[in-house]
Amino acid sequence: MFHPRRTLRALLLPLAAGLALTALPAQTAQAASTLTNGGFESDGTGAATPSGWSEYGDTGASYTESGGHGGSYRLSHYSASAYKVETYQYLSGLTNGTYTLTAWVRSSGGQNSAYMSLKNCGSSEQRTDLPVSTSSWVRIVTSVAVTNNQCTISVHSDANAGNWINVDDLSFTSGRTGLAVKGADISSLAKSEAKGGVYKYSSGSTGDAVTILKNAGMNYARLKVWVNPADGYNNKTRVLAMAKRVKAAGMKLLVDFHYSDTWADPGKQTKPAAWASHSYSQLKTDVYNHTYDVLNALKAQGTTADMVQIGNEINGGMLWSEGSTDNWSQLAGLINSGYSATKAVSSGTQVALHLANAGDDATVRWWFDNAKTYGIDYDVIGLSYYGYWHGSLAAAQTTLDDAASRYGKPVFIAETAYPFRLDSDDSLTNQIDTTGELVTGYPATVAGQTRWMNDVAGIVEAVPNGRGLGVFYWEATWTAVTGNGWDPTDATSGNGWENQALFGYDDKALSSMTWFSHR
C-alpha cells in the first residue's frame, strides 16, 4: 500500500466500596451449566437484573431495553453520571475444555474500559474490548480454557458520564478462537538501516528491529518484491537478506509480489520496465520466471516462503493493460502463472490474492466471483483495511465473513494501520494528519493505535469456522529517515507514514506493539 498524496491493560480500579470487580459476591442458586437468557428476551424492557444474570457495582446503570440485535431486547449499560458496573453469569458443572463466548455489541466509546470477560475458569482471565460502533452491531469472540468445571461470563463497564454499550445474543459453546497470523510489513527496514535508521526497545536501549518486534509477539513478516526498483531496495537480493533475519527470529514469511518496479495498488499497476514491450504470452512467462526465481532462491537458502501474494491490491488487475480486469481471461492466465510457479517451488506455500478496501463487500464479491468464473487458483483471501478510508469495523466484518463463507477460503487483513500522533517527523505532510480524518472513537494516540489494532484483530478472530487467519500491520518500521522516502527514484522524497509506524519519533518501540499478543 502507498498513496503518495494527501488524502498492558490497566488493572481494574477498585469500587468506592473498596471491592475489586473481580471479587464477586456469593454465587446464587441460579448457577447452571449452560448460558441462560443470552438474548435478554426473558424479561422484556426495563429489567434491572435480567433473568439468569447478576449485577455488581452501580447496578442502576445495567438494564434491558428494546432494540435487540436478533430479538426484541438487549442489555445496555448507561448512566448520565460516571459509573462502574458488571453484569455477569456464573456457570458450573461444565465439562473441562476450551469454550468460546460470542456476543453482538455496540459501544459509544469513551469508557475507561468496556469489555467481555471469561474469568474464574481455572485458567487466565480472557478479555475482549468492545469496539467503538455507535450504529451497527459487531460480533466479538473470547476464548478460554475451563479447567475447574466452572466459568464466569462478565460484561464490564468502567464508564464516564453518558457512555453506553449494548450487548446481545451471547452464546457460550465448545471451541477455540485465536489468530495464527500476527504480522507486520517491514519492507522499509533494510533501506532505513542503510540510511542510518535506529530502532530501540521501550527502555531506550538500541536493538534489532526484527528482534524487538518478535519479542513483542510478532510471528509473521511481510516483504514486498519489486522487479528492478530504482533504489535497489525491495528487490530479490534485499528480500533474500531480510528473509534470513526473519526466519532466524522464528517468524514466518509472506512475500508480496508487486510485479512492478514501484508501488502497485488499485490506482496503478505499471509493468516493470524490462517487460514493458512484452506480449501477453511473454508476460505469462515473465510472471512465472520471476516468481519462481525469487521463491526458489529463498528455498535454496533455507528460508522458504510460507505465503505469497500474486499481485498487490489487484482490484483492477495487474500488469496493465494486458492483465486488467477488462480482460479477465488474461488476468486469470497471469495469476495462475504465478500460482503455478509458487507451487512448483513449494507445494506447501499458501497463495493469497490481495484486494484493497475490506469495507466494500460488493467489489470483493464481484472480483472473487469472476475469479471463480475464470478459474483463478488461490488458497487465501487478503484484504487491505484502513478504517479512515475503508469504512466501519462492521462493514469490514461483513466483507470478511461473506468472503470466507462464499468462497470457503481463509481470510486475513493484509494491511491496516493507525496513527499514534498527527504531526510530522520530516518535511512531508503525513497522509493522515488531521483529527477529522480519524475513525470516530480512536484518537491519534498510542492508546488509540493499540485499540484500533486489537479491535481489527477482534473482527478477524470472530470470522466463523476458524477462517480468520490474522492481521498484518502495514509498515511497522517506516520511521522518518532521510533518504528513505516513498519514491524509489527520488532520494529527497519524504515519508508520509512515520506517524503510523510502531516505533516513536524517539525511535523507541511503542506500547501499541502489545497487539501482537492478541490471542
Side-chain angles (χ1 to χ4, degrees), residues 167-232:
V167 178
D168 202 6
D169 294 339
L170 283 79
S171 65
F172 186 69
T173 56
S174 294
R176 180 189 306 274
T177 67
L179 299 179
V181 175
K182 291 163 282 194
D185 194 304
I186 54 171
S187 298
S188 60
L189 180 56
K191 188 174 181 181
S192 174
E193 291 172 334
K195 300 295 181 182
V198 172
Y199 298 88
K200 298 177 179 179
Y201 289 92
S202 56
S203 65
S205 61
T206 301
D208 171 67
V210 175
T211 304
I212 293 169
L213 289 160
K214 166 67 176 179
N215 290 350
M218 177 172 152
N219 67 3
Y220 224 120
R222 179 178 186 255
L223 299 173
K224 69 172 174 272
V225 189
W226 290 337
V227 179
N228 291 304
D231 62 359

Side-chain angles (χ1 to χ4, degrees), residues 375-404:
I376 293 176
D377 293 320
Y378 65 99
D379 304 312
V380 189
I381 293 171
L383 302 172
S384 294
Y385 176 50
Y386 297 98
Y388 37 70
W389 292 326
H390 295 156
S392 68
L393 285 159
Q397 178 165 73
T398 296
T399 305
L400 289 165
D401 291 356
D402 185 40

Side-chain angles (χ1 to χ4, degrees), residues 20 54 56 103-104 111 153 158 161 234 330 360 397 403 433 435:
S54 302
Y56 189 59
W104 288 88
Q111 300 91 346
I153 295 163
D158 177 355
N234 300 299
Q330 289 195 173
D360 182 2
Q397 178 165 73
D433 72 329
T435 54

Side-chain angles (χ1 to χ4, degrees), residues 17-326:
L19 295 171
L21 285 180
T22 49
L24 298 177
Q27 304 303 339
T28 67
Q30 300 174 327
S33 59
T34 55
L35 185 67
T36 301
N37 194 21
F40 303 98
E41 298 296 309
S42 297
D43 314 288
T45 195
T49 306
S51 298
W53 295 85
S54 302
E55 294 176 338
Y56 189 59
D58 297 319
T59 57
S62 173
Y63 50 88
T64 58
E65 61 181 344
S66 60
H69 167 261
S72 300
Y73 306 100
R74 68 195 184 206
L75 174 72
S76 294
H77 286 180
Y78 166 81
S79 176
S81 55
Y83 63 94
K84 298 175 188 174
V85 71
E86 182 173 27
T87 309
Y88 66 93
Q89 190 168 147
Y90 167 70
L91 302 181
S92 64
L94 295 171
T95 301
N96 287 339
T98 304
Y99 290 81
T100 295
L101 174 70
T102 302
W104 288 88
V105 302
R106 300 190 295 201
S107 173
S108 67
Q111 300 91 346
N112 298 315
S113 60
Y115 58 83
M116 308 289 298
S117 171
L118 297 173
K119 58 189 178 181
N120 307 324
C121 311
S123 62
S124 299
E125 177 183 355
Q126 297 294 318
R127 295 181 187 174
T128 298
D129 287 332
L130 272 60
V132 179
S133 182
T134 56
S135 56
S136 299
W137 292 89
V138 176
R139 187 180 63 256
I140 61 173
V141 294
T142 310
S143 192
V144 74
V146 172
T147 63
N148 60 356
N149 304 111
Q150 62 186 20
C151 196
T152 298
I153 295 163
S154 169
V155 183
H156 165 101
S157 293
D158 177 355
N160 297 299
N163 297 158
W164 58 266
I165 64 170
N166 300 151
V167 178
D168 202 6
D169 294 339
L170 283 79
S171 65
F172 186 69
T173 56
S174 294
R176 180 189 306 274
T177 67
L179 299 179
V181 175
K182 291 163 282 194
D185 194 304
I186 54 171
S187 298
S188 60
L189 180 56
K191 188 174 181 181
S192 174
E193 291 172 334
K195 300 295 181 182
V198 172
Y199 298 88
K200 298 177 179 179
Y201 289 92
S202 56
S203 65
S205 61
T206 301
D208 171 67
V210 175
T211 304
I212 293 169
L213 289 160
K214 166 67 176 179
N215 290 350
M218 177 172 152
N219 67 3
Y220 224 120
R222 179 178 186 255
L223 299 173
K224 69 172 174 272
V225 189
W226 290 337
V227 179
N228 291 304
D231 62 359
Y233 286 88
N234 300 299
N235 62 7
K236 173 187 166 184
T237 301
R238 303 287 186 176
V239 167
L240 284 169
M242 188 59 67
K244 286 185 176 179
R245 292 170 60 183
V246 165
K247 291 283 189 166
M251 295 189 202
K252 291 187 175 181
L253 173 64
L254 167 57
V255 177
D256 172 17
F257 285 98
H258 284 228
Y259 300 111
S260 180
D261 293 335
T262 188
W263 305 96
D265 58 47
K268 51 190 176 300
Q269 295 283 337
T270 307
K271 281 178 283 194
W275 307 358
S277 63
H278 290 183
S279 66
Y280 167 66
S281 177
Q282 181 62 44
L283 287 171
K284 282 199 294 184
T285 302
D286 291 334
V287 168
Y288 188 96
N289 288 346
H290 171 62
T291 306
Y292 187 94
D293 180 49
V294 173
L295 296 179
N296 195 52
L298 284 165
K299 180 182 176 181
Q301 70 171 13
T303 59
T304 301
D306 299 282
M307 194 186 298
V308 164
Q309 282 179 218
I310 303 301
N312 186 77
E313 294 189 329
I314 54 174
N315 300 51
M318 64 188 204
L319 293 165
W320 288 347
S321 59
E322 287 79 359
S324 161
T325 50
D326 291 338

Side-chain angles (χ1 to χ4, degrees), residues 414-426:
E415 299 181 16
T416 189
Y418 207 75
F420 62 91
R421 59 195 289 172
L422 292 173
D423 60 319
S424 294
D425 196 25
D426 64 9

